[in-house]
């Protein structure tokens, strides 16, 4: 590994860095929220607090990846997919006639997807949901003979599965990649990806609350300046961690840029979904106190960024590895 670190030392370094970053952010929020003078600023600080709670998820991922191994990591993410899909379905107008489609989504799609990842079968987990499951759902829902809003109901179930299961499952899939020829490992690369997302999201929220500015139309807790600083924070995090990856320094910057852009787009899409479904009336927001609620708000950047990062890595560093 670069810089003379062993794998154990790299894990420890990243873990300590995450804890320190979370502690500093929590100290700032607890200090600032008592001094907030406007409801808008308090709302933005609560959004920062929500982002900081994501650190507990990341610490759990660190611990599982290092101590318990890949099977436990896949089980952990499978449960996250379950809770994420449950929250997504809760805001969609499903009907009793959609019962069998939802059974397929929760009890077939999730296990098959994560088992395929566990057995390292990319030809299955990259095609099963977007091809076979998407083709299976329409006839299953058609058998109920309920044509009321048929296409809309199908699309919502399909995209719920796509975002909450297919896209999210690519995060632990990163940990399965064989990167020994680069002096790195799949779990370390997954942690690189998650930390770039976390730092970008946290810096964006912090900058929006500290510096203010013009709020985004679809997210009042974010500003244009805050988003720009968040993107910069993600790039700097990627550059600082390039030594744990198979990437050269400039490649790490490009990969971090791809992750940050995809994460911003994921957050944008989620906020559009939130608005279209009635938002606050139906959906747990990013300040929800329960660990299994508000997941859509917290994990939205990962849902878009994970498949992008996974496929860029496999394309340029595994399939065409000799070219790079």
């Amino acid at each position: 590994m670069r810089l003379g670190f062993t794998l154990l030392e790299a894990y420890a370094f990243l873990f300590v860095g995450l804890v320190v970053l979370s502690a500093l952010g929590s100290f700032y929020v607890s200090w600032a929220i008592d001094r907030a003078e406007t409801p808008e600023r308090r709302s933005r600080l609560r959004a920062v607090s929500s982002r900081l709670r994501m650190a507990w998820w990341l610490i759990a991922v660190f611990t599982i990846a290092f101590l318990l191994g890949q099977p436990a990591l896949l089980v952990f993410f499978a449960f996250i997919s379950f809770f994420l899909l449950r929250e997504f379905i809760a805001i969609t107008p499903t009907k009793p006639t959609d019962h069998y489609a939802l059974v397929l989504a929760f009890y077939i799609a999730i296990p098959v997807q994560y088992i395929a990842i566990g057995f390292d079968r990319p030809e299955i987990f990259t095609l099963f949901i977007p091809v076979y499951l998407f083709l299976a759902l329409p006839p299953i829902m058609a058998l109920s003979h309920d044509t009321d809003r048929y296409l809309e109901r199908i699309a919502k179930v399909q995209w719920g599965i796509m975002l909450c299961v297919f896209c999210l499952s690519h995060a632990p899939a990163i940990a399965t990649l064989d990167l020994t020829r680069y002096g790195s490992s799949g779990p370390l690369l997954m942690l690189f990806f998650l930390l770039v997302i976390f730092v970008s999201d946290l810096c964006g929220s912090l900058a929006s609350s500290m510096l203010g500015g013009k709020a985004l139309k679809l997210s009042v807790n974010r500003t244009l300046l805050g988003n720009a600083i968040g993107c910069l924070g993600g790039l700097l995090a990627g550059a600082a961690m390039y030594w744990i990856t198979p990437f050269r320094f400039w490649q790490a910057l490009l990969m971090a840029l791809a992750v940050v852009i995809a994460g911003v787009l994921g957050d944008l899409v989620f906020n559009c979904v939130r608005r279209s479904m009635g938002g606050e009336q139906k959906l747990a927001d990013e300040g929800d106190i329960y660990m299994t609620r508000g997941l859509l708000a917290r994990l939205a950047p990962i849902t878009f960024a994970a498949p992008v990062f996974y496929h860029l890595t496999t394309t340029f560093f595994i399939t065409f590895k000799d070219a790079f």
Side-chain angles (χ1 to χ4, degrees):
M1 180 169 289
R2 300 185 183 104
L3 305 183
F5 283 93
T6 64
L7 288 177
L8 176 61
E9 289 169 341
Y11 274 113
F13 181 84
L14 294 177
F15 185 86
V16 170
L18 176 61
V19 171
V20 170
L21 182 63
S22 302
L24 290 175
S26 298
F27 174 78
Y28 164 73
V29 170
S30 62
W31 174 83
I33 201 164
D34 293 331
R35 294 164 175 78
E37 298 177 353
T38 64
E40 180 186 59
R41 179 161 172 76
R42 280 192 292 272
S43 176
R44 288 177 178 175
L45 287 169
R46 284 195 295 269
V48 175
S49 180
S50 170
R51 266 38 185 183
L52 287 167
R53 283 201 295 274
M54 275 301 299
W56 294 108
W57 291 107
L58 291 181
I59 289 171
V61 172
F62 270 73
T63 304
I64 292 170
F66 178 64
L67 296 179
L68 302 180
Q70 182 178 313
L73 186 68
L74 290 173
V75 170
F76 177 81
F77 272 95
F79 275 105
I80 297 300
S81 282
F82 181 90
F83 289 119
L84 200 64
L85 183 59
R86 185 182 68 173
E87 187 173 344
F88 187 94
I89 294 299
I91 68 173
T92 60
T94 55
K95 302 176 67 176
T97 50
D98 299 332
H99 172 74
Y100 291 109
L102 296 178
V103 168
L104 182 64
F106 281 98
Y107 302 111
I108 302 297
I110 294 175
V112 170
Q113 183 72 5
Y114 283 95
I115 289 172
I117 293 173
F119 283 97
D120 194 20
R121 308 299 298 184
E123 68 276 12
I124 296 178
F125 73 76
T126 59
L127 295 176
F128 170 65
I129 287 176
V131 177
Y132 301 107
L133 195 70
F134 272 31
L135 292 175
L137 280 171
I140 287 173
M141 295 182 74
L143 290 175
S144 67
H145 305 292
D146 184 357
T147 58
D148 181 42
R149 303 174 73 180
Y150 171 73
L151 184 60
E152 180 182 347
R153 285 166 28 230
I154 289 174
K156 287 174 180 176
V157 174
Q158 285 178 327
W159 274 99
I161 298 171
M162 189 72 175
L163 292 173
C164 304
V165 184
F166 178 79
C167 291
L168 184 66
S169 69
H170 280 73
I174 297 168
T176 67
L177 298 176
D178 183 5
L179 302 171
T180 52
R181 78 189 297 266
Y182 298 100
S184 183
S185 73
L188 277 179
L189 189 63
M190 179 193 68
L191 298 179
F192 167 87
F193 161 75
L194 292 175
L195 280 172
V196 167
I197 284 285
F198 174 71
V199 171
S200 175
D201 204 36
L202 180 60
C203 287
S205 296
L206 278 171
S208 296
S209 68
M210 294 174 68
L211 304 178
K214 183 179 179 180
L216 300 178
K217 290 183 178 180
L218 294 175
S219 180
V220 295
N221 292 326
R222 287 294 189 93
T223 65
L224 290 173
L225 178 60
N227 256 16
I229 293 176
C231 292
L232 179 60
L235 290 177
L236 292 176
M241 294 186 293
Y242 89 97
W243 52 276
I244 67 169
T245 73
F247 316 136
R248 298 185 180 94
F249 181 80
W250 64 272
Q251 292 169 335
L253 277 176
L254 290 178
M255 294 295 278
L257 179 63
V259 167
V260 166
I261 292 174
V264 169
L265 294 178
D267 201 50
L268 174 67
V269 169
F270 163 75
N271 281 296
C272 288
V273 171
R274 183 186 181 83
R275 291 291 185 92
S276 69
M277 294 298 173
E280 290 73 11
Q281 286 72 36
K282 294 183 177 181
L283 188 60
D285 65 18
E286 58 192 2
D288 197 287
I289 63 173
Y290 299 102
M291 290 296 283
T292 58
R293 297 185 61 195
L295 281 179
L296 281 171
R298 300 185 192 117
L299 299 184
I302 295 177
T303 59
F304 265 52
V308 170
F309 184 76
Y310 174 86
H311 288 289
L312 284 176
T313 302
T314 55
T315 298
F316 293 111
F317 295 92
I318 295 179
T319 304
F320 300 108
K321 58 182 179 296
D322 295 328
F324 296 90

